[in-house]
Amino acid sequence: MRLTVYLAGEIHSTWREEIKKKSLALNLPIDFVGPMEDHDRSDNIGEEILGEQPNAIFKDAAASSFNNLRTSVLMEKSDLTIALFGEQYKQWNTAMDASAALASGKPLIIIRPEKLHHPLKELSQKANATVETCDQAIKALAYIFE
């Protein structure tokens, strides 16, 4: 059996690479997908497809349409979602992706530091598992294959 895992969460750190490397080291049969990690491409995709927009609001709306399309397709094709809530960046997209996974019936693992326990308590209660580190998430993935 091979799984596809959608990695939801901020795109500014290397947490995805950590998950991928550790999964590979354990020979876990997993393919990873996720949001566009090139921030400029993500911000500009609407204009790349539709052409120049009249202002920043329309530019953001156009980009959001295509980013949401990409996320919807990749998440729908995935077997499981891992959503990382970090401490440094606003986590609106992560919360949206985690909620979308739950709404579509996709299993969800949340990674969040202890200090974010309170603001994420309701979401954590709906997730299949909540962990504090990428290492714990990898152990949860590995357990699926035992």
Side-chain angles (χ1 to χ4, degrees):
M1 167 179 72
R2 189 160 192 87
L3 293 179
T4 299
V5 175
Y6 186 90
L7 298 175
E10 56 92 3
I11 63 170
H12 304 287
S13 69
T14 60
W15 75 274
R16 283 181 182 80
E17 290 309 311
E18 179 183 349
I19 294 273
K20 291 174 187 177
K21 285 179 186 174
K22 290 178 178 180
S23 173
L24 189 59
L26 292 173
N27 293 317
L28 298 179
I30 300 176
D31 298 311
F32 293 99
V33 295
M36 172 54 63
E37 293 181 58
D38 179 333
H39 200 152
D40 288 337
R41 177 119 169 98
S42 174
D43 284 350
N44 294 317
I45 190 63
E47 289 191 328
E48 288 178 27
I49 293 172
L50 299 175
E52 186 176 347
Q53 298 299 299
N55 60 45
I57 292 172
F58 282 92
K59 179 181 176 180
D60 284 348
S64 294
S65 296
F66 296 107
N67 287 321
N68 286 336
L69 171 66
R70 185 178 193 280
T71 296
S72 294
V73 169
L74 293 176
M75 192 178 288
E76 177 63 31
K77 298 288 184 186
S78 70
D79 299 296
L80 177 132
T81 296
I82 295 177
L84 176 121
F85 288 87
E87 297 182 46
Q88 186 174 1
Y89 299 100
K90 302 292 184 205
Q91 304 296 313
W92 299 303
N93 287 348
T94 308
M96 183 179 72
D97 288 349
S99 296
L102 290 169
S104 67
K106 297 287 179 186
L108 174 66
I109 297 172
I110 291 175
I111 304 172
R112 57 110 181 102
E114 184 178 350
K115 75 184 268 184
L116 292 181
H117 162 77
H118 183 74
L120 294 171
K121 65 186 178 297
E122 286 83 7
L123 196 56
S124 286
Q125 283 299 104
K126 293 196 179 278
N128 296 88
T130 297
V131 298
E132 293 182 3
T133 67
C134 289
D135 283 337
Q136 292 171 335
I138 287 293
K139 288 177 183 177
L141 290 175
Y143 182 66
I144 292 170
F145 296 100
E146 287 185 15

